[in-house]
Amino acid sequence: MQRIPVYVHATDPISWTGVTGQLTGRTEVRVLAQADAADAAVTLVVVDSLTPPVVQALRRLRREQNRLVLVPATIDDAQLSAAVECGVVGVVRRSEASAGRLVEVILSAARGEGSVPADLLGRLLNQMRRLQREVLDPRGLSLGGLSSREVDVLRLVADGFETREIAAKLSYSERTVKNVVHGMTTRLHLRNRAHAVAYALRHDLI
């Protein structure tokens, strides 16, 4: 089994020493020195709480490394949302950060999977549902940033229909269909219709 290269970023030396000590000797991971941080498959970010400077550090680390796992002493709902927005894919409370649990979440992150404590996940999902119901639905939008009209058009594009056929099925003009596709691809920086369909499928929008 190949060892996962891991970099530990901590806001204080005691936390760094504690987490590094937990992982040292584990056959599943290889802890990197700061000079080799760019080679990490997963970065553990060990903090007391998600303060504004920590959020800035997460954003910087997200640009430099692919997958972030947060190890906070405390975290509330707003901080969890901020962490997810910064690209965090795993959360382990400091009180639950045994060597085994840390390795488990690191391996999940390396596979591209998310890992959040069950109670936090439930609260995050409730926040997302509330956002959809109270903010996005009244505006005809989804969490993926597509309007209901855009979803309708994309579904027919995915089924292989041409612009003329889509317009007939939805009672739109061909110009409207073209404008819907153009607006969507421009806003989301998508290259073409095929890319738009792939985006929608990847985000479970159609």
Side-chain angles (χ1 to χ4, degrees):
M1 175 177 167
Q2 186 176 5
R3 301 173 76 186
I4 304 298
V6 176
Y7 174 61
V8 178
H9 174 92
T11 52
D12 66 89
I14 293 177
S15 296
W16 183 88
T17 301
V19 172
T20 301
Q22 290 269 59
L23 298 176
T24 299
R26 296 290 305 215
T27 58
E28 304 94 334
V29 300
R30 175 168 54 91
V31 179
L32 302 177
Q34 184 174 1
D36 300 318
D39 297 328
V42 177
T43 297
L44 288 184
V45 184
V46 188
V47 299
D48 288 329
S49 63
L50 221 66
T51 61
V54 170
V55 170
Q56 291 178 357
L58 286 173
R59 289 174 177 155
R60 176 180 57 78
L61 289 166
R62 181 65 183 88
R63 291 192 296 268
E64 297 169 359
Q65 281 102 26
N66 283 331
R67 297 183 173 93
L68 302 179
V69 170
L70 186 66
V71 187
T74 61
I75 187 167
D76 60 23
D77 291 356
Q79 292 171 343
L80 178 61
S81 294
V84 171
E85 290 173 7
C86 291
V88 168
V89 298
V91 177
V92 184
R93 290 189 181 93
R94 189 101 55 97
S95 60
E96 301 167 352
S98 65
R101 180 60 182 153
L102 287 172
V103 168
E104 181 182 342
V105 175
I106 289 168
L107 294 177
S108 292
R111 291 192 299 266
E113 302 169 359
S115 183
V116 177
D119 64 308
L120 291 181
L121 180 59
R123 280 151 48 188
L124 179 63
L125 292 174
N126 284 334
Q127 287 183 56
M128 293 175 67
R129 282 192 288 269
R130 190 163 56 249
L131 173 65
Q132 180 71 59
R133 183 178 64 251
E134 298 175 3
V135 178
L136 298 178
D137 282 347
R139 293 167 174 79
L141 298 173
S142 67
L143 283 168
L146 299 183
S147 69
S148 56
R149 183 164 69 167
E150 288 169 337
V151 170
D152 290 341
V153 170
L154 267 185
R155 283 182 176 140
L156 294 174
V157 171
D159 288 337
F161 291 103
E162 300 293 336
T163 299
R164 174 177 51 79
E165 297 169 309
I166 294 171
K169 285 181 175 293
L170 297 177
S171 299
Y172 296 157
S173 68
E174 292 185 39
R175 182 180 182 83
T176 296
V177 173
K178 290 177 181 177
N179 287 341
V180 168
V181 173
H182 176 74
M184 174 176 47
T185 54
T186 300
R187 189 178 73 253
L188 298 174
H189 307 292
L190 304 171
R191 293 185 297 277
N192 49 41
R193 288 185 174 202
H195 193 191
V197 170
Y199 172 91
L201 290 171
R202 189 164 60 247
H203 291 84
D204 294 325
L205 300 175
I206 62 173

